[in-house]
Each structure stands twice: as C-alpha cells, then as structure tokens.
Amino acid sequence: LEKFVRKRFESHLAIGGAVLAVIVLLVSTSVPLGLLILCYRVNVWFGAAAEGLLCYYMLAARCLRDESMKVYRAFLENDTEKARRAVSMIVGRDTKPLDRSGIIRAAVETVAENTSDGVTAPMLYMGLGGAPLSFFYKAANTMDSMIGYTNEKYLYIGRFAAKLDDVLNFIPSRLTALLMIVSAGIMRMDMKNAWKIWRRDRRKHASPNSAQTEAACAGALGIRLAGDASYFGRIVKKPYIGDPLRAVETEDIRRANRLLYGMAFFGWGICMAVWLCVTAIVW
C-alpha cells in the first residue's frame, strides 16, 4: 500500500497516508469480524473459542518478557554483542553506539512503553468491542511503529497513523501508568517514588503517551531512563526521565517484567469489568 500511495498521491502524501491507514484498518477489522460471524453461526461455543484464540494473539506480555529476557541472559553470559543484537530486535533506535547500561535502559524502556501498547490497550479494546476492536487497535498501533516516524521519508505519509495511535493510547497509557504504580507497591518496589516521577516526568516525550509508563517504571526502579538517542544515524535530543538514585543494572530488566505482569493482572480485572458492563448493556 505504501508503494501504491506514494505513486498515486505523490504531491499529497498526507492524504495518501490517511487513505493507506483507512484501508489497513478496514481489512484488519473486517477479516476477523467476518470470521467470527461465521464461527458464531456454527455454534456459540465454537465462536467463543475462536474469539478467545484471536484475543490471545493480540496480547504481547509473554513476547515482551521473552524478548527482553534474551538481553538479560546475554549479559549473564557476559556477551555484550549478543545482548546488543537481542535489544536491536525490540527497539527502533540505533543500538551500535550503546554501552552496557545503554542496552539495559533500552530493554527496560521497551518493556515499560509497550506494557500499554502490547497489553493494557488491546485488553481494554477487547472489553469494549471484543476481538475485532482489538484488531482495529493493533492495526493502528503497528502502523505507527512502521510508518509513524518524523523523518523525511515518513513525515507526511505516516502522520495520520501516528496521530490515530496517540488518540487510541491516550487513556490506556495513563491507566497503565497508574496500575504500574500500584503494582510497584505490592511488589515492594518504590511506589512513592513511582508516583512522584510519574507526576513530574510523564510529559517528557514527543509522544503524549510514551513517557507515562516510562516515568512510572523509572520511579519504581529508582533509575534514570530516556535521554538522547540515535535514530537512522541522527541524534535525537530527549529529556531524561527519572532520577539516577542508583546505577542501572542487569536485574532491572527482570524487575521491569515483574511490573509488567503485576500491571497486567490488575488491568485484566478492569477490562473484564468493562466487558461485563458492555455485555449487560448489549443483551
């Protein structure tokens, strides 16, 4: 679609980007919706099983843990290059300039930021509209990851997708941050500092949503995240998030994953409540 849009909307790439996004969203939502209609017509339990399977593939908690723990295990083996390769698979920045602490921070930031994108947000949209609405969200979120850059190549064609992702994540990112703060207290991390850093640093990002969870995670762990990063060979200036109360260490990757799973448990409860309310209203 990107090739088609660039050719047909060469002088109006922003409009072409909107057309691209709408087509992707329509296909990504209508296909699972059509499949589920057919499954539910066969049998209600068959339909429920099919929808459960589709919902399972929309959640990325285990994927986030597994991929970030590859970085952790590489450092246990004292293999920095292996850790660098592992983190390059889950971040958008250039990883070649990163030292050990930079690689660890990148892994922690990815877990923190994608806790909302990969877990809370799709669960919340499942609660509101089942698997089809969660597919709608994931399509928008994936488009933002693929074309939502502010570089010369994607500045216009990815604008619609990036703005839509900001809108769809506005509430989930803030809910995730609050649940992460609660999880920090239960898991004997620094809940008070998590609340403090979230209140102070939650807007220190070009995106209105990304710093929400990064700030809560940085505060809970007592470390400093973010800062300048290299993208496509260009240094992008970014403010720091959190205070360096201690040095970053490998174990922070595991701690970030504990926060992820704690938050996911509470988020699941909230999303189930939303689903029950929606079901009661519909039926």
Side-chain angles (χ1 to χ4, degrees), residues 96-144:
K96 193 172 182 179
L98 299 178
D99 58 9
R100 182 187 180 94
S101 62
I103 294 171
I104 295 170
R105 281 198 304 271
V108 171
E109 288 171 27
T110 296
V111 172
E113 182 177 350
N114 287 287
T115 295
S116 176
D117 293 5
V119 184
T120 314
M123 276 201 299
L124 187 58
Y125 286 107
M126 283 175 202
L128 290 170
L133 194 59
S134 70
F135 268 77
F136 177 92
Y137 166 77
K138 289 298 287 185
N141 184 244
T142 304
M143 276 193 292
D144 178 58

Side-chain angles (χ1 to χ4, degrees), residues 223-250:
I223 60 176
R224 188 168 68 176
L225 299 175
D228 298 349
S230 174
Y231 293 88
F232 304 104
R234 182 171 64 91
I235 298 296
V236 176
K237 295 289 183 181
K238 293 183 179 182
Y240 286 109
I241 295 174
D243 295 326
L245 302 181
R246 59 174 179 80
V248 174
E249 58 187 23
T250 308

Side-chain angles (χ1 to χ4, degrees), residues 24-274:
V24 170
L25 292 169
L26 284 174
V27 174
S28 299
T29 308
S30 61
V31 170
L33 178 60
L35 287 172
L36 287 176
I37 289 173
L38 291 174
C39 291
Y40 275 111
R41 283 184 176 179
V42 172
N43 181 280
V44 66
W45 295 110
F46 183 65
E51 188 160 17
L53 182 64
L54 292 177
C55 288
Y56 170 80
Y57 282 109
M58 290 296 97
L59 301 174
R62 190 175 72 176
C63 180
L64 273 173
R65 180 202 65 192
D66 290 349
E67 294 302 316
S68 61
M69 288 301 289
K70 289 179 182 178
V71 183
Y72 175 83
R73 287 190 290 271
F75 278 128
L76 291 185
E77 299 168 7
N78 291 316
D79 193 336
T80 302
E81 285 307 310
K82 185 177 179 179
R84 192 190 313 280
R85 288 194 299 272
V87 83
S88 72
M89 304 302 294
I90 55 175
V91 301
R93 75 192 66 181
D94 300 330
T95 58
K96 193 172 182 179
L98 299 178
D99 58 9
R100 182 187 180 94
S101 62
I103 294 171
I104 295 170
R105 281 198 304 271
V108 171
E109 288 171 27
T110 296
V111 172
E113 182 177 350
N114 287 287
T115 295
S116 176
D117 293 5
V119 184
T120 314
M123 276 201 299
L124 187 58
Y125 286 107
M126 283 175 202
L128 290 170
L133 194 59
S134 70
F135 268 77
F136 177 92
Y137 166 77
K138 289 298 287 185
N141 184 244
T142 304
M143 276 193 292
D144 178 58
S145 299
M146 295 177 71
I147 62 173
Y149 298 103
T150 56
N151 57 27
E152 185 178 350
K153 183 178 181 180
Y154 292 113
L155 180 61
Y156 296 107
I157 200 171
R159 181 175 293 171
F160 184 90
K163 296 299 181 184
L164 178 62
D165 184 68
D166 287 344
V167 171
L168 293 176
N169 279 301
F170 188 84
I171 292 175
S173 64
R174 286 150 180 79
L175 175 62
T176 303
L178 293 173
L179 292 175
M180 195 176 282
I181 293 169
V182 173
S183 298
I186 293 173
M187 294 180 179
R188 298 182 180 179
M189 297 184 192
D190 198 335
M191 180 179 179
K192 184 177 179 181
N193 194 52
W195 172 258
K196 171 191 168 184
I197 299 300
W198 176 70
R199 290 288 304 275
R200 190 191 73 189
D201 294 349
R202 57 183 171 170
R203 295 184 180 89
K204 288 186 175 180
H205 201 285
S207 163
N209 304 318
S210 295
Q212 300 285 333
T213 48
E214 286 187 36
C217 183
L221 300 182
I223 60 176
R224 188 168 68 176
L225 299 175
D228 298 349
S230 174
Y231 293 88
F232 304 104
R234 182 171 64 91
I235 298 296
V236 176
K237 295 289 183 181
K238 293 183 179 182
Y240 286 109
I241 295 174
D243 295 326
L245 302 181
R246 59 174 179 80
V248 174
E249 58 187 23
T250 308
E251 198 64 26
D252 288 323
I253 300 175
R254 288 188 65 184
R255 295 182 184 119
N257 280 300
R258 287 175 58 202
L259 277 177
L260 161 66
Y261 272 85
M263 184 288 313
F265 177 79
F266 292 114
W268 173 80
I270 291 173
C271 295
M272 283 298 294
V274 170

